[in-house]
């Protein structure tokens, strides 16, 4: 009994700390989204529009994963149809962010390596098409998962209430392996794209001089940060396998591992976007600073 109470207290402490992080990052994301709509140049420029897409995707993803984390740890049950909707949204936006990051990397590559064609290739019309393509590509794994689930599931169980996790929609072991294989394939393509862009920009950086060289190396650092984000998102795919193995060993260790994974591989990569564009981009940073200062003045 005493051991159970100790575990419960430790879980409560971890959950409360996670809530602080989640609320903090959600507030930062909402402030950045508000900043995005303050200037016309932001919502007519591809890199800023794609940045806003990642912010909205990350905000929704963090909010829903936090709800599932709490419901899982405290064994809250919900109807399977509602759980299915949540998992569909999560499955979609788990891919939207990394695919958008890849598109942002390509945009930087075009801006640095093909500056004369950048305006044509990255026009507002092309941006809308890119967002559509991003969501189509991100939805394909989700469509595969759903098709496999409905082909294998018993429809009579759709109204049963249970703890909502992605694992309840995996009927057979091979479905989990297929899901992992699809995810690994996507991230392999993304990593190849990142490496290709990095090599191209590096060549241009070595040949550039003066102000162009400084701008090119800044773009190279941006691509490097995108690569770090993608790496953390890739590791996130292995977390369920690691957690399932640890659960068989020790429950408290499982709680600690899940807590670490959530902070490191779900929160962290989705908090790098504000650092990359919200703080490192000079124009966006000044707009953000102006918005924050106006808010403080109004309070006084």
């Amino acid at each position: 009994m005493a051991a159970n109470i100790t575990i419960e207290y430790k879980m409560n402490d971890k959950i409360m700390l996670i809530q602080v992080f989640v609320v903090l990052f959600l507030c930062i994301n909402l402030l950045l989204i508000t900043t995005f709509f303050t200037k016309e140049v932001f919502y007519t420029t591809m890199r800023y529009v794609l940045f806003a897409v990642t912010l909205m995707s990350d905000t929704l993803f963090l909010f829903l994963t936090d709800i599932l984390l709490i419901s899982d740890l405290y064994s809250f049950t919900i109807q399977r149809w509602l759980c299915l909707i949540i998992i569909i949204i999560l499955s979609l936006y788990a891919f939207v962010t990394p695919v958008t990051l890849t598109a942002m990397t390509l945009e930087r590559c075009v801006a640095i390596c093909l500056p004369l064609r950048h305006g044509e290739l990255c026009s507002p019309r092309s941006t809308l098409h890119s967002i559509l393509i991003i969501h189509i590509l991100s939805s394909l794994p989700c469509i595969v998962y759903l098709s496999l689930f409905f082909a294998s599931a018993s429809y009579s169980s759709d109204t049963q209430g249970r703890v909502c996790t992605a694992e309840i929609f995996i009927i057979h072991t091979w479905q989990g392996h297929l899901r992992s294989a699809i995810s690994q394939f996507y991230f392999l393509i993304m990593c190849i794209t990142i490496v290709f862009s990095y090599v191209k920009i590096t060549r241009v950086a070595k040949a550039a001089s003066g102000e162009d060289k400084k701008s090119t190396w800044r773009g190279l650092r941006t691509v490097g940060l995108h690569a770090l984000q993608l790496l953390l998102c890739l590791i996130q795919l292995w977390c369920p396998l690691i957690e399932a193995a640890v659960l068989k060993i020790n429950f408290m260790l499982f709680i600690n591992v899940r807590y670490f994974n959530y902070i490191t591989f779900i929160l962290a990569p989705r908090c790098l976007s504000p650092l990359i564009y919200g703080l490192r981009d000079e124009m966006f940073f000044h707009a953000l600073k102006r918005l924050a200062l106006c808010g403080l003045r109004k309070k006084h």
Side-chain angles (χ1 to χ4, degrees):
M1 179 68 73
N4 289 337
I5 293 173
T6 303
I7 290 174
E8 187 174 339
Y9 275 128
K10 288 183 178 179
M11 287 170 58
N12 288 336
D13 289 342
K14 294 181 188 303
I15 285 292
M16 289 304 297
L17 185 58
I18 286 176
Q19 299 317 300
V20 172
F21 281 119
V22 169
V23 170
L24 175 63
F25 293 133
L26 287 180
C27 289
I28 291 172
N29 281 3
L30 291 174
L31 178 61
L32 292 172
I33 291 170
T34 305
T35 304
F36 169 76
F37 288 105
T38 59
K39 278 192 172 185
E40 184 179 353
V41 66
F42 293 147
Y43 49 86
T44 56
T45 305
M46 176 178 274
R47 72 174 184 272
Y48 293 119
V49 174
L50 294 178
F51 172 51
V53 170
T54 64
L55 287 175
M56 293 174 189
S57 170
D58 291 344
T59 299
L60 183 58
F61 189 84
L62 283 176
F63 179 71
L64 291 179
T65 52
D66 188 48
I67 289 176
L68 290 191
L69 180 71
I70 293 171
S71 66
D72 186 27
L73 288 178
Y74 293 106
S75 300
F76 296 143
T77 60
I78 63 175
Q79 295 295 313
R80 181 174 284 195
W81 64 268
L82 179 57
C83 178
L84 181 62
I85 292 173
I86 294 173
I87 295 300
I88 288 173
I89 296 172
L90 281 176
S91 298
L92 172 63
Y93 285 97
F95 280 93
V96 165
T97 292
V99 173
T100 306
L101 288 174
T102 306
M104 292 169 76
T105 300
L106 288 173
E107 186 276 334
R108 285 294 80 200
C109 186
V110 170
I112 293 169
C113 301
L114 300 169
L116 298 179
R117 297 200 61 195
H118 181 258
E120 175 192 348
L121 296 174
C122 301
S123 65
R125 183 183 180 87
S126 299
T127 303
L128 291 176
H129 290 162
S130 298
I131 294 172
L132 180 61
I133 292 170
I134 286 167
H135 282 79
I136 290 173
L137 290 175
S138 301
S139 66
L140 292 178
C142 185
I143 292 171
V144 173
Y145 305 155
L146 283 177
S147 300
L148 293 173
F149 169 70
F150 285 117
S152 307
S154 170
Y155 294 99
S156 62
S157 63
D158 284 348
T159 59
Q160 293 178 356
R162 57 195 307 176
V163 176
C164 184
T165 63
E167 285 68 30
I168 68 174
F169 298 103
I170 297 177
I171 309 299
H172 305 291
T173 305
W174 62 266
Q175 291 175 323
H177 294 325
L178 180 61
R179 183 179 72 168
S180 178
I182 292 173
S183 299
Q184 301 298 334
F185 173 75
Y186 263 66
F187 279 94
L188 176 63
I189 298 300
M190 294 176 202
C191 289
I192 291 172
T193 305
I194 292 280
V195 171
F196 170 79
S197 301
Y198 195 89
V199 171
K200 292 281 287 185
I201 295 173
T202 301
R203 288 177 180 173
V204 173
K206 289 179 179 178
S209 60
E211 189 63 30
D212 287 340
K213 194 177 188 71
K214 183 179 177 182
S215 175
T216 302
W217 282 109
R218 191 185 302 121
L220 198 61
R221 286 194 296 271
T222 299
V223 172
L225 286 170
H226 287 332
L228 175 60
Q229 282 182 285
L230 282 177
L231 176 62
L232 292 173
C233 289
L234 175 60
I235 295 173
Q236 176 196 330
L237 297 174
W238 300 331
C239 290
L241 298 175
I242 297 170
E243 290 169 6
V246 171
L247 181 58
K248 296 176 182 178
I249 301 171
N250 182 276
F251 181 72
M252 197 61 225
L253 181 61
F254 164 75
I255 294 296
N256 291 329
V257 170
R258 170 162 283 196
Y259 170 75
F260 174 80
N261 287 345
Y262 188 83
I263 294 289
T264 309
F265 305 122
I266 292 181
L267 280 180
R270 285 165 175 81
C271 300
L272 282 174
S273 289
L275 172 65
I276 295 172
Y277 276 104
L279 300 178
R280 290 181 70 248
D281 186 276
E282 190 174 335
M283 185 185 299
F284 200 91
F285 176 73
H286 286 313
L288 176 63
K289 185 178 177 181
R290 194 178 303 114
L291 180 66
L293 290 175
C294 287
L296 289 174
R297 285 170 187 166
K298 286 179 181 178
K299 285 183 180 179
H300 291 296

